[in-house]
Amino acid sequence: MAVKHEQENGLLLDDDGRTRRTGTLWSCIAHIITAVIGSGVLSLAWSVAQLGWIAGPIAMLCFAIVTYASVVLLSGCYRCPDPVTGTRNYSYMDAVRVNLGKTQTCLCGMFQYLYMYGIGIAYVITTSTCMSAIRRSNCYHEKGHAAPCEHKDIPNMLMFGAVQIVASQIPDFHSIKWLSVIAAIMSFAYSFTGFGLGFAEVIGNGMIKGSIAGVPASTRTKKLWLAFQALGDIAYSYPYALVLLEIQDTLKSPPPENKTMKKASMIAMILTTFFYLCCGCFGYAAFGNNTPGNLLTGFGFYEPYWLIDFANACVVLHLVGGYQLFSQPVFEFVERWFSEKFPSNGFVIKFYNFKLPLLPCFQINLFRICFRTAYVVSTTAIAAVFPYFNQVLGLLGALNFWPLAIYFPVEMYFVQNKIEAWTRKWILLRTFSLVCLLVSIVGLIGSIEGIIRAKFG
């Protein structure tokens, strides 16, 4: 149990010398729900539509159970070697480094930073489609639902990329406190709007659309690919392994942090799953076989147009900040590596003072400007080449699900608890990991097939 002591200035400290943590069960639940609910909720109705009325809800429940199992395994790695009294690990990478060594840490870093890069691409796609949806919504309202109101996404992507190039140069942009608050408010706003519109549409229809088998496809093979892709989309919506230990690091002790985290995760998963089922199922019930890939941009809804505009604007505001939240760790890692590799290179390490009228003086670094600009340009370019919302989300969900949410937590649990090979618990967790690997593989295959089909017909 952590021992508290006082500093000379009166501040209470934890056993690691940091300011005393004050997080509670309820603050932990709020952090988890905020971390989980995001743009992935917009694809859930489409996912349920592909899987049908039985397999769709069951898949969501299964992912919720697997996510909680991952939490149980990972929360014990916050402290090592003992989960209650051991030394703290402040991040996912710290826990992997302490438990699994350098090689596995490099592998983990590769998956983590690849996933963050992919999130940037997905956010460019989502933001551009939402910006186009706002223009189409206004056009349909003014000229009628049959009017030719299509708008290209490329200009919106370029606009979003330009904003991110500027934002990426702002020091510690991702650490601005109000950024997370705004992101959370926007996330809940568009998520509840999507749910409310679906619910209202079902009431207006006076019937529940859809079928047990889901949306029919031209061939059984195509139906299978779409079902696999739907699993990838659902996988994208659930796991929060990358931020779990950071959330756990906010909790006060006693009670032990891992105990509070498990309880908070159970409550958060129940609430999130209920909300996901409502969004996914009401969306499918409202539109049946015509369920759009993105509930807010596929134009199953035309009115009230101002509410659709508001929801899409919330998505845009959320993802403008969200892009930086996922990109800044990549920036910091690459820049730190280059500064260590080339400690005497002026291009890499030298900073210059820069002053704009009416703004405070700040420092610029040529390598930082070039790398961060190239990073944003590359995510924007890839999004422009592959602007496919559901397929890209499914790809990211499949890439993230097994390695980061299952494999590393299982391996760390083996090491920390000294689980011997071929014991009952070892066999059970190995089987669990293998099944999740298969789910990731089929989700990955389905999403890649979807991208190829969308791109080349």
Side-chain angles (χ1 to χ4, degrees), residues 82-96:
D82 186 271
V84 177
T85 61
T87 304
R88 300 173 193 266
N89 294 310
Y90 303 110
S91 69
Y92 191 94
M93 290 279 282
D94 288 342
V96 174

Side-chain angles (χ1 to χ4, degrees), residues 375-387:
Y375 180 96
V376 175
V377 169
S378 67
T379 58
T380 306
I382 293 174
V385 175
F386 301 103

Side-chain angles (χ1 to χ4, degrees), residues 166-213:
V166 175
S168 66
Q169 304 302 326
I170 299 175
D172 299 320
F173 182 83
H174 65 303
S175 300
I176 298 174
K177 291 183 179 179
W178 52 261
L179 187 66
S180 296
V181 176
I182 291 177
I185 294 172
M186 296 299 103
S187 176
F188 281 105
Y190 67 71
S191 298
F192 277 100
T193 301
F195 161 63
L197 289 171
F199 180 78
E201 188 76 12
V202 172
I203 299 300
N205 292 338
M207 61 178 292
I208 295 175
K209 297 182 180 181
S211 64
I212 292 177

Side-chain angles (χ1 to χ4, degrees), residues 214-434:
V215 177
S218 55
T219 66
R220 289 185 179 180
T221 302
K222 186 177 179 180
K223 176 67 177 176
L224 197 62
W225 293 138
L226 290 171
F228 288 168
Q229 185 183 315
L231 291 177
D233 279 9
I234 297 174
Y236 175 85
S237 304
Y238 266 106
Y240 55 101
L242 287 181
V243 296
L244 185 143
L245 295 184
E246 281 90 341
I247 295 173
Q248 194 166 334
D249 189 46
T250 67
L251 298 175
K252 64 182 179 181
S253 159
E257 300 92 348
N258 64 333
K259 183 177 180 181
T260 304
M261 174 56 76
K262 291 173 186 176
K263 187 175 181 180
S265 294
M266 173 65 79
I267 297 171
M269 279 297 100
I270 291 172
L271 294 174
T272 301
T273 303
F274 175 75
F275 180 66
Y276 277 6
L277 285 170
C278 288
C279 289
C281 293
F282 275 113
Y284 182 38
F287 299 110
N289 293 343
N290 297 318
T291 302
N294 182 327
L295 202 57
L296 293 177
T297 64
F299 278 87
F301 306 110
Y302 290 95
E303 300 291 342
Y305 79 99
W306 58 267
L307 185 58
I308 298 165
D309 289 354
F310 168 76
N312 280 299
C314 288
V315 176
V316 173
L317 288 174
H318 175 206
L319 300 189
V320 165
Y323 184 99
Q324 291 299 318
L325 288 173
F326 281 98
S327 299
Q328 289 285 343
V330 183
F331 296 159
E332 292 172 1
F333 169 76
V334 172
E335 289 162 10
R336 184 173 62 250
W337 186 88
F338 270 89
S339 64
E340 293 172 355
K341 192 75 173 178
F342 307 101
S344 59
N345 190 308
F347 178 75
V348 174
I349 66 170
K350 192 171 182 179
F351 284 81
Y352 302 88
N353 291 325
F354 188 74
K355 179 74 171 67
L356 289 173
L358 304 178
L359 292 176
C361 181
F362 60 95
Q363 292 187 318
I364 62 171
N365 172 270
L366 294 179
F367 174 76
R368 174 181 291 181
I369 291 175
C370 293
F371 169 69
R372 295 188 180 194
T373 300
Y375 180 96
V376 175
V377 169
S378 67
T379 58
T380 306
I382 293 174
V385 175
F386 301 103
Y388 312 120
F389 176 75
N390 295 95
Q391 294 89 331
V392 171
L393 258 58
L395 180 68
L396 292 172
L399 282 174
N400 171 58
F401 177 62
W402 179 73
L404 298 176
I406 307 299
Y407 171 74
F408 288 111
V410 167
E411 295 303 315
M412 288 190 285
Y413 182 84
F414 285 156
V415 171
Q416 190 161 344
N417 293 276
K418 299 178 174 61
I419 305 296
E420 295 183 2
W422 302 108
T423 59
R424 181 180 298 178
K425 186 173 289 188
W426 186 91
I427 293 173
L428 180 65
L429 287 174
R430 282 286 182 226
T431 304
F432 169 71
S433 181
L434 179 61

